Amino acid sequence: MGSLNAEHQLFQQNPVTWSWEQVYLCSSRILEIIAFDELKTDYKNPIDQCNTLNPTVEKVKKIKRVKIALKLVLPEYLIHAFFCVMFLCAAEWLTLGLNMPLLAYHIWRYMSRPVMSGPGLYDPTTIMNADILAYCQKEGWCKLAFYLLSFFYYLYGMIYVLVSS
Amino acid sequence: METSFDNGSPVQNWMQFPSGYGSHPPNYSAPSGHYSQVPNKAAASHLDNQYRASYYPTYYSSPAQNVMTPSVGTSVLNTQESQQLYNKTPHTVGSAEGPVQGAISSASYLHTSAQQSYSAFGNHYSTSVSSSVASQGFPLNSDHYAMPVVSSAVYPNVSYPPAAPGSVYGQAFTSQSLPVVGQVKETNKFSSQSTSVPHSLQQHVPVGYNTTLSTTSSAQSVQDNLCSNLTRSVAKVNNQINTEKNLSLSISQKFAIPKAPNLNNFPSPAIDSSSTTSSASPVLNNYDALEGGGYPETRSVTSSPVPAPSVPQTSKASKPFGYGYPTLQPGYQNAAAPTPVQPSNPGHHPGLQHYPQQYPGVNQLTSSIGGLSLQHSQQPESLRPVNLTQDRNILPVSSVPAPVPNLNSDLRKLNCSPDSFRCTLTNIPQTQALLNKAKLPLGLLLHPFRDLTQLPVITTSTIVRCRSCRTYINPFVSFIDQRRWKCNLCYRVNDVPEEFMYNPLTRSYGEPHKRPEVQNSTVELIASSDYMLRPPQPAVYLFVLDVSHNAVEAGYLTIVCQSLLENLDKLPGDSRTRIGFITFDSTVQFYNLQEGLSQPQMLIVSDIDDIFLPTPDSLLVNLHESKELIKDLLNALPNMFTNTRETHSALGPALQAAFKLMSPTGGRISVFQTQLPSLGAGLLHSREDPNQRSSTKVVQHLGPATDFYKKLALDCSGQQTAVDLFLLSSQYSDLASLACVSKYSAGCIYYYPSFHHSHNPAQAEKLQKDLKRYLTRKIGFEAVMRIRCTKGLSIHTFHGNFFVRSTDLLSLANVNPDAGFAVQMSIEESLTDTSLVCFQTALLYTSSKGERRIRVHTLCLPVVSSLADVYAGADVQAVVCLLANMAVDRSVSSSLADARDALVNAVVDSLAAYMSTASNLQQSMLIAPNSLKLFPLYILALLKQKAFRTGTSTRLDDRVYAMCQMKSQPLVHLMKMIHPNLYRIDKLIDESTIHVNDRVVPQPPLQKLSAEKLTREGAFLMDCGSIFYIWIGKNCDNNFIKDVLGYPNYASVPQTMTQLPEVDALSSERTRSFVSWLRDSRTLSPVLQVIKDENPAKTEFFQHLIEDRTEAAFSYYEFLLNIQQQVCK
C-alpha cells in the first residue's frame, strides 16, 4: 500500500478537484444513461439528444433538465485523461494500470466516431439504431460501475493514508 | 359513362325493372319449406343464426332472426331457381318459362354489372348460402346455370338500380367474356396472390365467375374492398379528391342520430359517388370494378327503403370481429378435429378454399387450406424439400408470388395487400430463440404511400384509437360486446365511441364491426386539427439547378425546363402552390418572379461564404399568379448560360440558400448537380482511385467524406423540407457524400451516369421519363410514419430515406409513392399467449391539397411454435430485400467483404438450420424447403449486383447509387434490380395470352438468367426494372426482325435503338403489347434498349446473366457447391 502514500500526496495537492471530479464522472455517466433511456422511451428527439451529449459549438436549444451536466462526453474523457496523467506523475503504477484500459478505450472510441465536423461522439441519424442504442446504454452502465468502484477505491486510499499518517 | 350515371337516379332505376321484380315475389313468399332441398345450405345459415344469437344474446338475436327471414327466402329462391334450371336443359328454361327467362336475362344483365363491380361481393356477404350451393351443387355449370344464382343473390337486396340502362354495363353485357378475363387479369396484376397462375386462372374463369365463387384473390379483393364500396354508397365525393382516384366518405356528425337514418339525405350522394367513381378512366374503372366494385350491391343497400335485407350480412361480416381471437385460436391451432362448423370457418366457402389446390404452382396456398394449421395436415407444399443441386428449373413460370399467411379465410381476406406490406416470415416464431434457430431475419417491407386506385377515404370527427397504445381501430380488433373493443396490439379494452356505433353503410345503428375502418386493412382517414402542429402547409417546390460549364455542356437544362413547362399544370397542389428557382455555378443566382414584373429578374449573390436571400418574399411565388413569368424563365433558362466559362460549382452555399428560402414553409427542393462541388461549404474532393474499381479486396469511401450534407439534411428535415438529388455527371461526384442530403431528409436520389443530351440518348430519355413521373406523382408533405406492433415485438432498425425520431417514429419531410422502407424486428417477449400478431403503419401527411390525412395499413400474421412452420412461411423475396438493406449498412459501417460474407452466411446458416430440423434428409445433398428454394439464387444475384460485386470494374458512384436504391426502393422494384426477368420474345404468337383492357398480352415463361438459354436463333427481353434490354441473336428469324424491329435483316438493325416501331403484323403487336404491359405494372417507365452482338451495351446485358460464371464470381452451380460445402462442414 505504499503507493497510496503518493495518492495521499495527490489528494493533498488538490483535494477539492479530486473528489469533485470523481463525483462528476459518476454523475455524468448517470445522466448519460438517463439520456439514452429517454431516447429509447421516446421522450426526446435524437437531434436534441445528440446536441446535448455532443459538445456542440453552436448554441444548444434550451433543454429541460440538467442543462450543463449533459454536455458530457468530451469533458468526461478529458477528466479521465487528466486523472491518468496525475497518477503517472505520482508514479501510482497500480492505479494507472487499472485506468489504462479505459483510457485506451476512450481513445479508440473517439477515433472511430462517425464522420463529424465538430467534436462529439454520437450521430443523430444512427443513434436510434437498436444495436447502437443498446451498445451506448451498456457502455454507460459499465463505465458507471467502473467509476463508482474506483471512487470507493480512491476514498479508501485517502482514508487509509489519512489514518496511517 | 359519367353522364349516364349521373342521369340515372335511383327512382329511374327502380322503374326499369318491373318485369324482373314481378316474377320474383312468389318465390319470396315460399320460405322455409325449401330448406330440405338444400340441407347443407340451410344448416349453414341456421348455424350462423344460432351462433350469432349466442354471441349477441341480447341485442342481435331477435332482430337477426326477423331479418333472416328475407334472406332465407333468398336462399330458397336461389336454390329453387337453380335447381329448376338444373333439372331442365338450358334451352327449355329459356323457352318454357317466360318469367324465369326474364329473370335470367336480367340476371345475366345484372351479372355483368356485378362482375364489373365484384360479383363475388354479393356472394360472400349477402347470401353466402347461395354461393355454397353453387359451388357444391353445380361445380362445373355452364353460364346459364350459375347466373341465376348470382342474380338472385343480388336480388333480395333490391339491387335493381345497378342495371342502369344505357350505362356501360349495357355494353358490357354484349361482350361478357372479354371484360371478365381482362378483369381477372387485373386482379392478377394487382393482388399478387394470383400472379403465379395467370393461365390456370384464365381457364377457370368461367367457373369461378359464374358461380361467383371466383378465385381466392378476387374474393379477397372483394372482401378487402367491400366496405369501400359500401362506403361509397354514402359517400360524398368531392371533385378534389376524386382527381386522386380516392373516394371520400363523409361520415359526418349525422352518425350520432341513432337508428334514424335520413333516407332523403343519403341516396343522392350515394348516386353521386357511384357515378363519379365509375367516371374514372376505362382502365381504372376496370380495376375499380374488381377491387372496389359492388356498386349494385352498394346502391341497393343505400337506396332500398328497408335496410333490413342487408342485415343478414352482419352475420357474415361480423364473424371475424364478433368474438375475440381467443375463441378463434382453436380454429387455427389444432385442426385435429375441425368440427364441421368451426366458428372461425363458417363453412360458407368450401369450394373457395379448395380452389387454390387446383394450381400446382401456388405452393404457399396449399399450406393454408381451410385456414387451419400445418402440423396436422400433410406436409405443406412450401416445406417440400427441394434438392438444389439436382433441381435445375426452380424458377416459376411467371413472377414469384408472395406467400399467403396461414390465417383463416376471413382474416386472410381482410389482410393488407402484400404490395404495400410484407413480412419476411409470414409465420411469426413464438420466441426470439426460435427465430435465432431459424437463422432468417424478421422484418417488414413497406411501401406505404403506393399509388392505389382504390382506397377508402373516411372523414369522421372522432378517429377511433386505442387509449393506451394509440393504435387505430382495424379489422383485427375484437369486439367484446356492442360497446367495447379490445385492441389487438396491447389488448386493452376500449369503449366504442357513440359516433362509431352508427354504421353509415346500412345507415343503421349498433354495427361498429361493419364500419369501413373495421372492414379494410388499408384506409385513409382525414385527420382533424388535433393532428396538426401548424396549419397544413401549401405545396412548395424549389428547383436548384447547376448552370456551370459542365452542366451546360451536358445539356440537361433543356430537358428539365421542357419537362417542367409540360407538367407545370400537373404539379400536385392547390391554389396556394408556390414555386421558385435557384441556379448556381461559382455564385448563386436567384430569380425574382413576383407578380407584376414584366420579366423574371435575376439576382446574383456572389458572397458564397455567408449566403443570404436578396429578396426573401419574392423568390418563392404563387404558381398560378406568376405563371407567365415562370414560363418565360423556363423558356429562357436553357439559353442563358450557353457561353459560361465558369467551371466551379458552389453546391453547398446554394443548398444553404435553398434551406433558408424553404424553412418558413417546408416543401421540396429538387437539386440538379453535374459535378463534384468545388466551392464554399460542403466542397468535396475526389476520393475514387480508378485503379481500385475492380479491386477484390477493399472498397473504400462508401461513407460520406463530410457531415455537411447530413447536417443540412437534418436541418431541412426539422423544417419539413426534403431534398431530392438528381446527379447527372460523367465523372466521379462523390455520391456517397452528396446522397446524405437526400437520405436524411426523406428525399429521393436519381443518378444518370455519363449523362449527355445527345451522346447518350438513352440517359436523356430516362431523365425525361423520370422527370415526368417525378413532377406529376402524388406527394405528401410534413409526414411522420409510426409503426406499431403487437406487444412482445419491437423494432430493431429502420432502412430507407428518413430521419428516425424515436424508436418507432420516422420523420419524413416528404413522402412519395415510390419510396419503400424496411424494418428489422426483434422478439422481446415470448408470444406464447397469442396466436396472432399485428403490425400497423400509420402515415400522417399533408396532401398536396392541404389536407391532413392518415393512411393506415394493418397486417395480421399467425404465430407458430415449430421451426418447420417458420420455414413454411418464409417469404424469400422479402428476406432477400431485407438482407440487402442490412448488407448495405454493413458495408458502410464495416466493409464490403464483411457484408458479402454475411450474405453468404445467411444462406448457409438458414439452410443448415433447416437441414438439421429435417432429420430424414440425406446430409450430403443441399436441400432447401420449397419456400426458400430461390434463396441461394437471389443471394448470388445480390453478390453480383453492382452494389456488392467485387472483381468486376465498378465505379464508386455506381456502387453507391445501387446501395441507395436498395435502401429506398420498394420490394417489387428491388427484386427486379436484383434478379431481372428474362423472356424469350421471338415466338410470342405461340405463347398463352391474357387479356388486359381488350388487349391481348402474351405471357412467355420466365427464363433462367443464363447464357445457355440464349440462342442465336432467338430474341430475348430482359426486364431490369428501370431498363429493358432486347437482345437479338445473330441468326434470329428475319421475319421477327422485319415485323417487330422494322428492319430487313440483322445487319441493318442500328446500334442505338430505343423504340419498337409500329408495324402492322401480329408479332409486332404482341411484342408491343407485352412490353407495354410490363411497363404498365411499374411507376418508373423503363427505357428500352435493343442490343446486338457487337453492341457496347452487351456487357451490361451479360452482367445480368447471374447464373453464369464470370472471371470474378461463381456460377450458380459452383455457388451451390460452395454453400453445400459450408453447410456440411
Side-chain angles (χ1 to χ4, degrees), chain A residues 39-40 42 44-47 115-118 123-125 128-131 133, chain B residues 704-707 710-711 714 744 786 795-797 803-808 889:
Chain A
L39 254 188
K40 203 173 184 181
D42 197 4
K44 255 191 193 166
N45 184 326
I47 297 180
V115 178
M116 224 178 265
S117 47
D123 176 6
T125 57
M128 290 314 295
N129 191 319
D131 285 333
L133 194 58
Chain B
T706 161
D707 69 339
K710 185 194 286 181
K711 273 184 170 167
L714 293 183
Y744 302 112
R786 198 183 283 276
I795 291 168
H796 190 273
T797 309
F803 173 65
V804 192
R805 274 257 293 280
S806 83
T807 39
D808 59 350
D889 273 4

Coordinates of all heavy atoms in Angstrom, one line a residue, chain A residues 39-40 42 44-47 115-118 123-125 128-131 133, chain B residues 704-707 710-711 714 744 786 795-797 803-808 889:
Chain A
L39 N -34.2 8.6 -24.7 CA -34.2 8.4 -26.2 C -35.0 7.1 -26.5 O -35.9 7.1 -27.4 CB -32.8 8.2 -26.7 CG -32.2 9.3 -27.5 CD1 -30.9 8.7 -28.1 CD2 -33.1 9.7 -28.6
K40 N -34.7 6.1 -25.7 CA -35.3 4.8 -26.0 C -36.8 4.9 -25.7 O -37.6 4.3 -26.5 CB -34.6 3.7 -25.2 CG -34.8 2.4 -25.7 CD -34.0 1.4 -25.0 CE -34.0 0.0 -25.6 NZ -33.2 -0.9 -24.8
D42 N -38.6 7.4 -26.0 CA -39.4 8.2 -26.9 C -39.6 9.6 -26.4 O -40.5 10.3 -26.9 CB -40.7 7.5 -27.1 CG -41.4 8.0 -28.3 OD1 -40.9 8.9 -29.0 OD2 -42.6 7.6 -28.6
K44 N -37.4 12.1 -26.4 CA -36.6 13.1 -27.0 C -36.3 12.9 -28.4 O -36.1 11.8 -28.8 CB -35.3 13.3 -26.2 CG -35.3 14.5 -25.3 CD -33.9 14.7 -24.8 CE -34.0 15.8 -23.7 NZ -32.7 15.7 -22.9
N45 N -36.1 14.0 -29.1 CA -35.7 13.9 -30.5 C -34.2 13.7 -30.5 O -33.4 14.3 -29.8 CB -36.0 15.3 -31.1 CG -35.7 15.4 -32.5 OD1 -34.7 14.7 -33.0 ND2 -36.5 16.1 -33.3
P46 N -33.7 12.7 -31.3 CA -32.3 12.4 -31.3 C -31.4 13.6 -31.7 O -30.3 13.6 -31.2 CB -32.2 11.3 -32.3 CG -33.5 10.9 -32.7 CD -34.5 11.8 -32.1
I47 N -31.9 14.5 -32.4 CA -31.1 15.6 -32.8 C -30.8 16.4 -31.5 O -29.6 16.7 -31.2 CB -31.8 16.6 -33.8 CG1 -32.0 15.8 -35.1 CG2 -30.9 17.8 -34.0 CD1 -32.6 16.6 -36.2
V115 N -18.2 10.2 -39.1 CA -17.7 11.4 -39.7 C -18.5 12.6 -39.2 O -19.7 12.7 -39.2 CB -17.9 11.4 -41.2 CG1 -17.4 12.6 -41.9 CG2 -17.2 10.2 -41.8
M116 N -17.7 13.6 -38.6 CA -18.3 14.7 -37.9 C -17.4 15.9 -38.0 O -16.2 15.8 -37.9 CB -18.6 14.3 -36.5 CG -19.9 14.7 -36.0 SD -20.1 14.1 -34.3 CE -20.9 12.6 -34.5
S117 N -18.0 17.0 -38.3 CA -17.1 18.2 -38.4 C -16.7 18.7 -37.0 O -15.6 19.1 -36.8 CB -17.8 19.3 -39.3 OG -19.1 19.5 -38.9
G118 N -17.7 18.8 -36.1 CA -17.4 19.3 -34.8 C -16.9 18.1 -33.9 O -16.8 17.0 -34.3
D123 N -24.0 10.3 -33.4 CA -24.6 10.7 -34.7 C -26.1 10.6 -34.6 O -26.6 9.5 -34.4 CB -24.0 9.9 -35.8 CG -24.6 10.2 -37.1 OD1 -25.4 11.2 -37.2 OD2 -24.3 9.5 -38.1
P124 N -26.8 11.7 -34.7 CA -28.3 11.5 -34.5 C -28.9 10.6 -35.5 O -30.0 10.1 -35.3 CB -28.8 13.0 -34.7 CG -27.7 13.7 -35.4 CD -26.4 13.0 -35.0
T125 N -28.3 10.4 -36.7 CA -29.0 9.5 -37.7 C -28.8 8.1 -37.4 O -29.6 7.3 -37.9 CB -28.5 9.8 -39.1 OG1 -27.1 9.6 -39.1 CG2 -28.8 11.2 -39.5
M128 N -30.5 5.9 -33.2 CA -31.8 5.2 -32.9 C -31.7 3.8 -33.4 O -32.6 3.0 -33.1 CB -33.0 5.9 -33.6 CG -33.4 7.2 -33.0 SD -33.5 7.2 -31.2 CE -34.8 6.0 -31.0
N129 N -30.6 3.4 -34.1 CA -30.4 2.0 -34.4 C -30.4 1.2 -33.2 O -29.6 1.5 -32.3 CB -29.1 2.0 -35.2 CG -28.9 0.7 -35.9 OD1 -29.2 -0.4 -35.3 ND2 -28.4 0.7 -37.1
A130 N -31.2 0.2 -33.1 CA -31.3 -0.5 -31.8 C -30.0 -1.0 -31.3 O -29.7 -1.0 -30.1 CB -32.3 -1.7 -32.0
D131 N -29.1 -1.5 -32.2 CA -27.8 -2.0 -31.8 C -27.0 -1.0 -31.1 O -26.4 -1.2 -30.1 CB -27.1 -2.6 -33.0 CG -27.7 -3.9 -33.4 OD1 -28.2 -4.6 -32.5 OD2 -27.6 -4.3 -34.6
L133 N -27.9 2.0 -29.9 CA -28.5 2.5 -28.7 C -28.2 1.5 -27.5 O -27.8 2.0 -26.4 CB -30.0 2.7 -28.9 CG -30.7 3.5 -27.8 CD1 -30.1 4.9 -27.7 CD2 -32.2 3.7 -28.2
Chain B
P704 N -19.8 8.9 -46.2 CA -19.6 10.3 -46.6 C -18.2 10.8 -46.1 O -17.6 10.4 -45.2 CB -20.7 11.0 -45.8 CG -21.1 10.2 -44.6 CD -20.8 8.8 -45.1
A705 N -17.8 11.8 -46.9 CA -16.5 12.4 -46.6 C -16.7 13.6 -45.6 O -15.7 13.9 -44.9 CB -15.8 13.0 -47.9
T706 N -17.8 14.1 -45.6 CA -18.1 15.3 -44.6 C -19.5 15.1 -44.1 O -20.3 14.5 -44.7 CB -17.9 16.6 -45.4 OG1 -18.6 17.6 -44.6 CG2 -18.6 16.6 -46.7
D707 N -19.7 15.7 -43.0 CA -21.1 15.6 -42.4 C -21.9 16.9 -42.8 O -22.9 17.1 -42.3 CB -21.1 15.4 -40.9 CG -20.5 16.6 -40.1 OD1 -19.8 17.4 -40.7 OD2 -20.8 16.7 -38.9
K710 N -25.2 15.9 -44.3 CA -26.0 15.2 -43.3 C -26.6 16.3 -42.4 O -27.8 16.2 -42.2 CB -25.2 14.2 -42.5 CG -26.0 13.4 -41.6 CD -25.2 12.7 -40.6 CE -24.5 11.5 -41.2 NZ -23.7 10.8 -40.2
K711 N -25.8 17.2 -42.0 CA -26.3 18.2 -41.1 C -27.4 19.1 -41.7 O -28.4 19.4 -41.2 CB -25.2 19.1 -40.6 CG -24.5 18.7 -39.4 CD -23.5 19.7 -39.1 CE -22.8 19.6 -37.8 NZ -21.6 20.5 -37.7
L714 N -30.6 17.2 -41.9 CA -31.3 17.2 -40.6 C -32.0 18.5 -40.4 O -33.1 18.6 -39.9 CB -30.3 16.8 -39.5 CG -29.7 15.4 -39.5 CD1 -28.9 15.2 -38.3 CD2 -30.9 14.4 -39.6
Y744 N -31.3 11.7 -45.4 CA -31.8 12.0 -44.0 C -32.9 13.0 -44.1 O -33.5 13.4 -43.1 CB -30.7 12.5 -43.1 CG -29.6 11.4 -43.0 CD1 -28.4 11.6 -43.6 CD2 -29.9 10.2 -42.4 CE1 -27.4 10.6 -43.5 CE2 -29.0 9.2 -42.3 CZ -27.7 9.4 -42.8 OH -26.8 8.4 -42.8
R786 N -45.5 6.1 -38.2 CA -45.2 5.3 -37.0 C -45.6 3.8 -37.3 O -46.6 3.6 -37.9 CB -46.0 5.8 -35.8 CG -45.5 5.4 -34.5 CD -46.4 5.9 -33.3 NE -46.2 7.3 -33.0 CZ -45.2 7.7 -32.2 NH1 -44.4 6.8 -31.6 NH2 -45.1 9.0 -31.9
I795 N -39.2 -2.9 -32.7 CA -38.5 -2.6 -33.9 C -37.0 -2.4 -33.6 O -36.6 -1.8 -32.6 CB -39.1 -1.2 -34.4 CG1 -40.5 -1.5 -34.9 CG2 -38.2 -0.7 -35.5 CD1 -41.2 -0.3 -35.2
H796 N -36.2 -3.0 -34.4 CA -34.8 -3.0 -34.2 C -34.1 -1.9 -35.0 O -33.5 -1.1 -34.5 CB -34.3 -4.4 -34.6 CG -32.9 -4.7 -34.3 ND1 -31.8 -4.3 -35.1 CD2 -32.3 -5.2 -33.2 CE1 -30.7 -4.6 -34.5 NE2 -31.0 -5.2 -33.3
T797 N -34.3 -1.9 -36.3 CA -33.7 -0.9 -37.2 C -34.6 -0.6 -38.3 O -35.3 -1.5 -38.8 CB -32.3 -1.5 -37.7 OG1 -31.6 -2.1 -36.7 CG2 -31.5 -0.5 -38.4
F803 N -35.6 10.3 -41.4 CA -34.8 10.5 -40.1 C -35.6 9.9 -39.0 O -36.8 10.0 -38.9 CB -34.7 12.0 -39.8 CG -34.1 12.3 -38.5 CD1 -32.8 11.9 -38.2 CD2 -34.8 12.9 -37.5 CE1 -32.3 12.1 -37.0 CE2 -34.3 13.1 -36.3 CZ -33.0 12.7 -36.0
V804 N -34.9 9.0 -38.2 CA -35.6 8.3 -37.2 C -35.8 9.2 -35.9 O -34.8 9.6 -35.3 CB -34.8 7.1 -36.7 CG1 -35.7 6.2 -35.9 CG2 -34.3 6.3 -37.9
R805 N -37.0 9.5 -35.6 CA -37.2 10.4 -34.5 C -37.3 9.7 -33.2 O -36.9 10.2 -32.1 CB -38.5 11.2 -34.7 CG -38.3 12.4 -35.6 CD -38.3 13.7 -34.7 NE -39.6 13.9 -34.1 CZ -40.7 14.4 -34.8 NH1 -40.5 14.8 -36.0 NH2 -41.8 14.6 -34.2
S806 N -37.9 8.5 -33.1 CA -37.8 7.8 -31.9 C -37.9 6.3 -32.3 O -37.9 6.0 -33.5 CB -38.9 8.2 -31.0 OG -40.1 7.5 -31.3
T807 N -38.0 5.4 -31.3 CA -37.9 4.0 -31.6 C -38.9 3.5 -32.7 O -38.6 2.6 -33.3 CB -38.1 3.2 -30.4 OG1 -39.1 3.8 -29.6 CG2 -36.8 3.2 -29.6
D808 N -40.0 4.2 -32.8 CA -41.0 3.7 -33.8 C -41.5 4.8 -34.7 O -42.5 4.6 -35.4 CB -42.2 3.0 -33.1 CG -42.9 3.9 -32.1 OD1 -42.4 5.0 -31.9 OD2 -44.0 3.5 -31.6
D889 N -25.9 -1.5 -45.0 CA -25.5 -0.9 -43.7 C -24.1 -1.5 -43.3 O -23.3 -0.8 -42.8 CB -26.5 -1.2 -42.6 CG -27.6 -0.2 -42.5 OD1 -27.6 0.7 -43.4 OD2 -28.5 -0.3 -41.7

